[in-house]
Amino acid sequence: MDTPETSSRRTTGPAVESGRPLVVVDHVDKHFGQLHVLRDITTVVHRGEVVVVIGPSGSGKSTLCRAINRLETIDSGTITIDGSPLPEEGKDLARLRADVGMVFQSFNLFAHKTVLENVTLGPIRVRGMAKRDAEDKAMRLLERVGVADQAGKMPSQLSGGQQQRVAIARSLAMDPKLILLDEPTSALDPEMINEVLDVMVGLAAEGMTMVVVTHEMGFARKAADRVLFMADGAIVEEATPEEFFTNPRSDRAKDFLSKILHH
Ligand SMILES: Nc1ncnc2c1ncn2[C@@H]1O[C@H](COP(=O)(O)OP(=O)(O)OP(=O)(O)O)[C@@H](O)[C@H]1O
Ligand SMILES: [Mg+2]
């Protein structure tokens, strides 16, 4: 397996060459009981980088994302964000959560709050922003993801694609340093996938640091600097999308790609 230093496009691409490490995952292991779900995971995400995580079901992709956000604890190894180790709890942990946006497969909006309230809640409660300012900001973000006209509705009145775009706007409202997106389009009807992917491609182009669990190869090819292929809790390959999709090295990756290409 290549190290991040040798395989990432940032070593050759000027756009991200100057990116400093934002997330450093160093020799991380995690078990759920007897199950070894993260095995000696080491990788670095640089500022402005877009990393796509791909791999079979149960390979540990969500657990890795959740560990980076400390929604899961780890058994050993370290994870640092912007130079600081992940806080255990308390105020520092709340700050970390605010700095690391997370978008899930199931949109996780607050069902009893309007779209606008969903987006203003974090900035008001966590960042201490004035309501008026939070609303102005939220409207700009809803505009950006193309759902400003839905601001007064409840989440259940929106399509899945619209809800997911609200979820992205909600994470952006916190000005996160990094956004983790865990299969953001896999619960969507096919005709709604592109509207969410387009928003993600736009974020990537603007330089947002993103870790995206997705099997959408079009997105990976268009927007990713690097693909991490996971199997059985380990990073088996780490390569540019071009290298990974055209010339996967391991049998695991070849087998996986043949399945997602021919399903
Ligand atoms: N809270 C938990 N308790 C026990 N086992 C868990 C828990 N969460 C995940 N696992 C197990 O850990 C392994 C990795 O799960 P994870 O959700 O990270 O995989 P994944 O790669 O995201 O899979 P998928 O593509 O299906 O989302 C799986 O075997 C899963 O069953
Ligand atoms: Mg998962």
Side-chain angles (χ1 to χ4, degrees):
M1 187 183 82
D2 274 3
T3 63
E5 282 67 29
T6 57
S7 65
S8 166
R9 191 188 290 173
R10 78 186 123 72
T11 55
T12 51
V16 286
E17 205 164 45
S18 60
R20 286 172 289 137
L22 181 60
V23 183
V24 179
V25 180
D26 192 29
H27 296 294
V28 165
D29 276 87
K30 160 121 193 130
H31 293 76
F32 282 118
Q34 296 294 309
L35 199 62
H36 199 168
V37 287
L38 295 180
R39 293 171 191 260
D40 198 25
I41 300 285
T42 294
T43 193
V44 178
V45 181
H46 289 72
R47 230 170 272 271
E49 232 185 346
V50 177
V51 175
V52 159
V53 183
I54 194 168
S57 181
S59 55
K61 306 179 298 292
S62 294
T63 307
L64 177 61
C65 286
R66 293 168 59 81
I68 291 173
N69 207 9
R70 214 182 173 289
L71 291 168
E72 294 288 358
T73 56
I74 54 177
D75 301 339
S76 58
T78 55
I79 300 177
T80 59
I81 295 189
D82 218 0
S84 310
L86 287 193
E88 293 286 308
E89 57 195 358
K91 257 195 199 150
D92 292 343
L93 182 56
R95 193 171 313 131
L96 167 87
R97 294 260 167 77
D99 284 346
V100 181
M102 180 117 191
V103 175
F104 300 91
Q105 177 176 1
S106 55
F107 328 117
N108 288 93
L109 296 174
F110 301 111
H112 56 291
K113 299 211 179 286
T114 65
V115 163
L116 184 66
E117 287 165 345
N118 264 277
V119 182
T120 57
L121 197 68
I124 293 171
R125 290 229 185 126
V126 181
R127 298 285 196 218
M129 202 183 245
K131 186 167 180 235
R132 183 65 200 277
D133 295 341
E135 286 178 353
D136 288 348
K137 182 175 195 177
M139 286 311 298
R140 281 198 305 276
L141 289 168
L142 290 171
E143 189 82 49
R144 173 166 162 193
V145 300
V147 289
D149 51 342
Q150 312 291 326
K153 289 193 185 168
M154 303 306 278
S156 60
Q157 297 173 288
L158 271 55
S159 73
Q162 289 170 330
Q163 288 186 55
Q164 196 60 305
R165 286 181 285 154
V166 173
I168 291 172
R170 184 176 61 175
S171 355
L172 293 174
M174 300 296 278
D175 296 319
K177 292 176 179 167
L178 161 79
I179 297 193
L180 306 167
L181 299 107
D182 189 358
E183 302 209 34
T185 59
S186 60
L188 298 177
D189 292 338
E191 67 270 24
M192 290 167 196
I193 290 176
N194 280 335
E195 63 193 32
V196 173
L197 290 177
D198 287 347
V199 168
M200 290 161 54
V201 169
L203 284 181
E206 286 165 31
M208 174 60 76
T209 310
M210 298 162 78
V211 174
V212 188
V213 180
T214 185
H215 295 166
E216 293 290 338
M217 286 187 291
F219 173 80
R221 281 182 180 273
K222 212 183 287 179
D225 295 297
R226 193 147 48 96
V227 172
L228 297 187
F229 174 71
M230 291 184 71
D232 298 325
I235 296 175
V236 176
E237 291 197 33
E238 184 158 13
T240 63
E242 180 64 21
E243 283 164 1
F244 180 73
F245 292 119
T246 55
N247 190 21
R249 287 174 297 234
S250 63
D251 288 341
R252 285 305 298 265
K254 286 176 191 163
D255 180 53
F256 175 77
L257 283 173
S258 73
K259 281 178 188 145
I260 62 168
L261 290 171
H262 302 301
H263 74 178

